[in-house]
Amino acid sequence: MIPLYNKEHYIENTLKSVLRQSFQDFEVIVVDDGSSDRSLEAAKRVQSNKIKIITQPNLGVSVARNTGIHHASGTYIAFLDADDIWRENYLETIRTLIEKYPQSDIFVTAYAVHMKNGKINYSLRLVPKTGCLESYWTMLGKGYDFVWTSATVIMREALIKAGCFKPQEKIGQDLDMWARVARNNPRVAYSADICVDYNRAAESNARTRVKIAWAGAFIQDLEEELINPARTVTEIEAIQRKYDKKMTAYIFTSILAGEKKMARKALQNWKGEKNLRNQMLQAGLWAAQLVPKPINAWIYKIRLKVF
């Protein structure tokens, strides 16, 4: 399922990577979300009876994904952003996970992150090489997202049961979706094989389109889970770690956008247990409000180049 919006320079290679899969029992649903460039024409240049292209007005990536989910005929939905690449063994690896770990609704692989400066980073690779984690929550906040869109397949019924993607969300829609699926079934089947290439250097993505990193629905999910009595100590620690990171991104981008009142309110409403890490983060964010905007912008730019 590929949502498409203004990715004319990437979509052909993305589609070709899907068609090159060693496992060939799949359909490809591309939902063009009202692209204003030549993305739709580029997608149509890739000819295959496996590809179905749906067009809609610009309603946002969540609506596009929901459209794809409801038009899908398969049991599982494999998500892929229009500027990322699947390696040839991706779907074969996922099929093996599905056969080996039928108790899970979420199936993921490791992935490579291609930065703008040419550097390549990698998501967390667990030992043993394959397995089924009992809790999605324990992996939160450990480097790059363990469950990440273009390297994630989820049972279609589980997505529908969880309510699909929230249309109003501008950023973090996928994280909110995975969290709601995990509330019903927290297991995550994984492979440590690197099967996907994440194009972090793409011209247009959420990081460039959204000025303030307010992942509202996902932050609310985390706040609710922080007080969920069913969560273990290990889960709470991981949830707190992810929450602290998301709040830091939101508050710092608010400061960069000149919304210091918004930043102060968020700092005052920071949830969860106090620890040395988040107290240091909060102190740094209070101090950032006194730093000239160009310096903060430089710091944020450096951060994006590194991670």
Side-chain angles (χ1 to χ4, degrees):
M1 196 278 108
I2 304 174
L4 176 61
Y5 180 74
N6 290 358
K7 298 287 184 178
E8 63 175 308
H9 300 303
Y10 305 98
I11 183 60
E12 285 188 71
N13 285 334
T14 296
L15 283 170
K16 288 175 182 177
S17 79
V18 177
L19 297 178
R20 286 195 297 265
Q21 293 297 299
S22 57
F23 175 76
Q24 284 284 308
D25 185 11
F26 61 83
E27 62 180 349
V28 185
I29 298 177
V30 179
V31 181
D32 181 71
D33 188 40
S35 293
S36 58
D37 64 358
R38 296 179 181 272
S39 292
L40 184 58
E41 291 90 333
K44 288 179 177 178
R45 283 198 291 269
V46 183
Q47 296 294 309
S48 171
N49 57 11
K50 291 181 177 293
I51 299 174
K52 179 179 182 179
I53 297 177
I54 301 168
T55 60
Q56 66 178 34
N58 182 221
L59 300 174
V61 67
S62 290
V63 175
R65 286 180 178 140
N66 289 342
T67 298
I69 291 167
H70 291 298
H71 279 83
S73 60
T75 304
Y76 298 91
I77 304 293
F79 295 98
L80 179 60
D81 286 343
D83 49 16
D84 296 326
I85 298 292
W86 282 349
R87 299 186 185 184
E88 292 181 9
N89 63 334
Y90 176 66
L91 290 181
E92 186 73 49
T93 301
I94 291 293
R95 182 183 71 164
T96 300
L97 292 177
I98 290 171
E99 292 174 348
K100 194 171 182 180
Y101 306 109
Q103 68 270 35
S104 181
D105 292 332
I106 304 173
F107 306 87
V108 305
T109 76
Y111 54 94
V113 184
H114 296 259
M115 310 298 286
K116 196 169 185 177
N117 60 6
K119 182 182 178 183
I120 302 176
N121 296 331
Y122 297 94
S123 65
L124 184 64
R125 303 175 72 186
L126 298 181
V127 177
K129 190 175 179 181
T130 63
C132 187
L133 302 175
E134 287 299 311
S135 174
Y136 157 87
W137 308 103
T138 59
M139 299 308 298
L140 293 178
K142 294 183 177 181
Y144 291 104
D145 290 320
F146 191 75
V147 180
W148 167 73
T149 309
S150 291
T152 293
V153 173
I154 297 184
M155 185 174 282
R156 183 173 180 269
E157 287 183 6
L159 292 164
I160 294 171
K161 182 179 179 181
C164 292
F165 291 85
K166 292 182 178 178
Q168 70 275 16
E169 293 301 300
K170 301 296 183 185
I171 190 170
Q173 315 94 332
D174 47 357
L175 296 173
D176 167 62
M177 183 76 261
W178 317 151
R180 286 185 285 116
V181 170
R183 281 175 171 168
N184 295 325
N185 181 357
R187 299 180 183 88
V188 180
Y190 72 87
S191 169
D193 285 339
I194 296 171
C195 298
V196 182
D197 291 290
Y198 171 18
N199 185 7
R200 191 66 170 272
E203 296 162 353
S204 176
N205 55 42
R207 289 168 172 267
T208 59
R209 292 193 304 269
V210 181
K211 202 171 186 181
I212 297 176
W214 172 238
F218 183 54
I219 288 175
Q220 182 177 338
D221 294 332
L222 295 175
E223 289 179 346
E224 291 171 357
E225 293 304 321
L226 282 171
I227 57 174
N228 184 345
R231 297 285 158 249
T232 66
V233 172
T234 301
E235 287 174 325
I236 291 295
E237 288 175 350
I239 293 165
Q240 185 73 63
R241 183 169 56 240
K242 186 66 172 179
Y243 178 77
D244 293 344
K245 288 184 176 182
K246 283 297 174 184
M247 287 296 286
T248 299
Y250 166 51
I251 294 167
F252 195 73
T253 54
S254 296
I255 294 169
L256 284 178
E259 298 290 347
K260 292 186 179 181
K261 184 177 180 181
M262 186 184 296
R264 287 193 293 271
K265 183 177 180 181
L267 277 163
Q268 291 164 355
N269 291 329
W270 198 297
K271 299 293 193 297
E273 292 293 325
K274 299 290 185 184
N275 58 49
L276 181 59
R277 182 190 64 251
N278 61 33
Q279 286 180 315
M280 290 179 67
L281 286 172
Q282 291 175 52
L285 290 165
W286 281 112
Q289 297 179 72
L290 305 175
V291 175
K293 184 176 178 180
I295 295 177
N296 279 332
W298 177 79
I299 293 170
Y300 193 63
K301 187 177 180 180
I302 293 297
R303 183 264 180 199
L304 291 179
K305 285 183 178 180
V306 173
F307 186 75

